[in-house]
């Protein structure tokens, strides 16, 4: 199954006008056109898919629902909770609702009303994860195992050694907690064979989605795949280029390779039932 939680571009007008610099913030926050990439891969491979329409600026689906910077929320009912400061990812400005961007400052002109925050959690965050959970269980019930590929894009990385090519892809598995080692190794090998530089868990090991939905003991496996934006976007990372087709082809091959492996680790009796 393929998911794209950060590709949404359906911005309500009130969200856009409340941004200090909407063009810049949207470009930095979005995994630009990863939604289109995910849909193209799903169409070619027959994989199940779930793509978010709501933009990350409204609510980050890869953050825990309590990972909130209460300093940006107006009329929070628990003043003590707000006084405790920020939590986890929110500490760097990129919590459940992003607050600031590095080298740019605050995203928003004014605080977010607490009622609006609750509405976004109830109407966007919770339904997305409930739907994802339902779909993953449906595939696992049919085949005995399921693998989620959580698709993202990343800014260009620097070469860790100072020489050679920087990674164009990062495979994250929460350091083995969200996916079986054989599947992670197979994903890394797929990129190596294609001659594309790849890294494992560094600098991106995955977030809330892998923590919540990767349950290896239940044969619910989850990998985060980060794609370098320069691999398929123009120099401004704003629009797609013909290189997008190469990435879709490469990742479609990854889905097919991993699918065969997932089918082998599932319950044989369920596989026979599915075939019938």
């Amino acid at each position: 199954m393929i998911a794209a939680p950060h590709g949404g571009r359906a911005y309500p007008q009130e969200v856009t006008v409340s941004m200090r610099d909407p063009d810049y913030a949207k470009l930095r926050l979005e995994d630009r056109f990863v939604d289109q990439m995910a849909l193209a891969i799903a169409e070619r491979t027959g994989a199940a898919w779930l793509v978010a329409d709501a933009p990350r600026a409204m609510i980050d689906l890869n953050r825990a629902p309590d990972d909130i910077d209460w300093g940006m929320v107006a009329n929070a009912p628990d003043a003590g909770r707000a006084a405790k400061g920020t939590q986890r990812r929110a500490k760097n400005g990129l919590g459940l609702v992003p607050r600031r961007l590095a080298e740019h400052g605050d995203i928003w002109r004014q605080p977010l009303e607490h009622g609006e925050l609750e509405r976004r959690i109830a109407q966007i965050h919770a339904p997305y994860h409930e739907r994802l959970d339902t779909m993953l269980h449906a595939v696992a019930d049919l085949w005995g195992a399921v693998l989620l590929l959580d698709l993202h894009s990343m800014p260009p990385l620097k070469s860790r050694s100072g020489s050679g090519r920087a990674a164009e892809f990062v495979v994250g598995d929460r350091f083995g907690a969200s996916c079986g080692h054989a599947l992670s190794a197979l994903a890394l090998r797929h990129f190596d064979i294609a001659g594309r530089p790849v890294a494992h868990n560094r600098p991106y090991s995955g977030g809330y989605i892998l923590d919540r939905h990767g349950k290896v003991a239940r044969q619910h496996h989850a990998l985060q795949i980060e794609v370098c934006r320069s691999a398929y976007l123009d120099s401004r990372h704003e629009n797609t280029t013909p290189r997008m087709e190469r990435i879709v082809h490469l990742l479609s091959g990854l889905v097919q390779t991993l699918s065969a492996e997932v089918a082998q680790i599932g319950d044989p009796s369920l596989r026979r039932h599915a075939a019938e």
Side-chain angles (χ1 to χ4, degrees):
M1 180 174 172
I2 302 169
H6 287 167
R9 297 184 300 280
Y11 291 89
Q13 183 178 5
E14 60 270 20
V15 171
T16 298
V17 299
S18 63
M19 289 178 165
R20 291 177 53 246
D21 187 348
D23 291 340
Y24 181 86
K26 290 177 183 180
L27 194 62
R28 288 288 302 276
L29 287 171
E30 290 175 14
D31 287 348
R32 185 62 64 98
F33 297 120
V34 163
D35 56 331
Q36 294 183 6
M37 186 186 298
L39 291 172
I41 297 167
E43 182 177 0
R44 294 189 186 190
T45 62
W49 58 270
L50 183 64
V51 171
D53 293 325
R56 183 185 181 189
M58 288 186 69
I59 193 163
D60 192 332
L61 298 167
N62 201 26
R63 299 290 183 266
D66 63 349
D67 194 2
I68 298 166
D69 183 344
W70 289 104
M72 69 178 291
V73 180
N75 302 318
D78 185 351
R81 177 171 54 180
K84 292 178 182 177
T86 58
Q87 303 179 50
R88 299 189 292 282
R89 304 291 181 91
K91 290 181 178 179
N92 64 10
L94 296 176
L96 184 67
V97 177
R99 180 176 186 174
R100 68 177 65 89
L101 292 167
E103 301 179 0
H104 186 70
D106 284 351
I107 298 168
W108 309 103
R109 298 179 184 274
Q110 64 277 324
L112 176 68
E113 290 292 328
H114 182 254
E116 173 61 15
L117 172 61
E118 288 193 320
R119 185 191 70 80
R120 293 181 190 180
I121 294 173
Q123 297 184 10
I124 301 173
H125 192 279
Y128 181 88
H129 285 281
E130 289 167 4
R131 180 61 176 163
L132 183 54
D133 193 55
T134 297
M135 296 179 73
L136 291 170
H137 275 87
V139 175
D141 288 346
L142 187 63
W143 292 97
V146 63
L147 171 62
L148 169 67
L149 294 183
D150 196 44
L151 194 59
H152 296 257
S153 72
M154 63 182 180
L157 299 175
K158 296 180 180 179
S159 175
R160 295 183 64 186
S161 63
S163 61
R165 298 165 64 191
E168 292 182 305
F169 301 87
V170 178
V171 176
D173 61 10
R174 303 300 284 165
F175 298 94
S178 70
C179 186
H181 297 298
L183 291 171
S184 298
L186 193 59
L188 293 167
R189 183 170 180 267
H190 178 82
F191 291 114
D192 282 338
I193 290 174
R196 308 298 291 254
V198 61
H200 188 202
N201 284 320
R202 301 185 186 279
Y204 305 107
S205 66
Y208 175 71
I209 289 173
L210 265 58
D211 286 341
R212 173 165 174 171
H213 299 285
K215 307 295 182 185
V216 177
R218 302 179 190 172
Q219 297 294 8
H220 286 211
H221 303 269
L223 286 175
Q224 179 174 285
I225 306 294
E226 294 274 0
V227 183
C228 180
R229 291 170 187 166
S230 295
Y232 70 99
L233 296 175
D234 60 21
S235 60
R236 287 176 49 84
H237 298 163
E238 190 170 7
N239 296 300
T240 60
T241 69
R243 296 191 301 275
M244 173 81 146
E245 166 59 27
R246 302 176 196 168
I247 300 302
V248 170
H249 178 77
L250 178 66
L251 295 180
S252 295
L254 175 66
V255 169
Q256 292 166 342
T257 297
L258 293 173
S259 295
E261 183 68 18
V262 174
Q264 292 301 312
I265 64 178
D267 186 329
S269 64
L270 291 175
R271 292 202 304 272
R272 287 195 296 270
H273 175 71
E276 293 169 1

